[in-house]
Amino acid sequence: MRRIAIGSLLGLLLVACSPEADDATEARKFPAPRADSQTDRFALLALDCVHREYPNKISHVLESDADALPPSQLTPAFYGCFDWHSSVHGHWLLARLARTDPDTPMREAILAALDRSLTEENIAGELRYYTNGDRASFERPYGVAWFLQLVAELDESDDPQMKRWRENLRPLENSIVANMMNWLPNLAYPIRVGTHNQSAFAFGLMLDYARQVGSTELEPLLVAKSLEFHEGDRDCPIGYEPSGEDFLSPCLMEADLMRRVMPSDRFAEWLSGFLPDIPTDGSADWLEPGIVRDPTDGKLVHLDGVNLSRAWAMEGILSALPPEDPRRAALQASADRHREVGIAAISAENYEGSHWLGSFATYLTTKRGISEHTASGPGNQS
């Protein structure tokens, strides 16, 4: 991948690609970020990429010459940010910040970007792509889980514009949920990797979606499958992590999933068997952050993401532990350390990381995975 310098985030001028102009570049001006605002910095990363068509890595099976089309014609809503899933969670980032940071100077630009993408026509095009041919496994489970998270974000809003976008997404949402309902019973084993195919991370996002929208079919299926896969797990080898291209921790993401499906006391007991070596002395050095030696390498830069996702997983685990649990201090100390390292690495200089790391940082800093209906398991819900 070529290195793309988009300049300092304090600059006003960002360059993006316009499919309407046959991939000619168009200049975009966004407001200056607030000097002390991380969220403005993350918003600029997403605003720069959601309509940037190239470079692009598509996961696309050609069935004939007619399928050889530019990304914006294949998936007209989610063609930017280098790949489909990054485009989806780039849009989620924008919706999340519009909801949680209403005073951001980026608000008008955010709403305009979402309005440009999430049209009824564009989503109809996405649905045609998703349902044409044998694409039931397209972006499964990572990308479709992020899509459902985008739906949940819009569903949670009372803003009429966001409600309209949420309704526009419904046809694709229904098709994705139907595919997940077919896939989950056939999934015989968990997918224990640190990259896109990991099942634990996707299950967590899909569970949060199912609870937000009140799905009486998807939620119990996900809970049952999570318990089937992981209730008996013990002694997760976290010392073997991270692998060289991980952006998700297999051990910590599994624990972050299980706190969603167990009552607090049961989860605390399960965690003792699953990660028995979490210190009780408040130390932070029991889990070392991942190291990135070349931020221009699109695979190696995954380790910046593992630091951010580890931090939110540990905070998720903390949210479900009893207040007196002696492991809390060490979990918080390590989460803080991973957060500091992960956020410090986010830069607009290298598109290899800038097209997706802002979403991970936003998920962490806005505590998206921690809420009353996700933090303590179904047994403790009101």
Side-chain angles (χ1 to χ4, degrees), residues 2 17 24 32-33 45 57 95 102 107 127 140 147 154 176 209 254 257 267 280 288 290 319 321 329 375:
R2 63 188 175 92
C17 291
L45 293 175
K57 179 183 178 182
R107 183 172 178 80
L127 181 63
R140 186 185 73 193
F147 177 83
L154 298 174
I176 285 173
Y209 153 82
E254 179 177 332
L257 168 65
F267 171 69
T280 58
E288 291 296 321
S319 74
L321 290 176

Side-chain angles (χ1 to χ4, degrees), residues 84 152 160-161 234 250 290 321:
W84 193 88
Q161 193 172 23
R234 297 291 184 271
L321 290 176

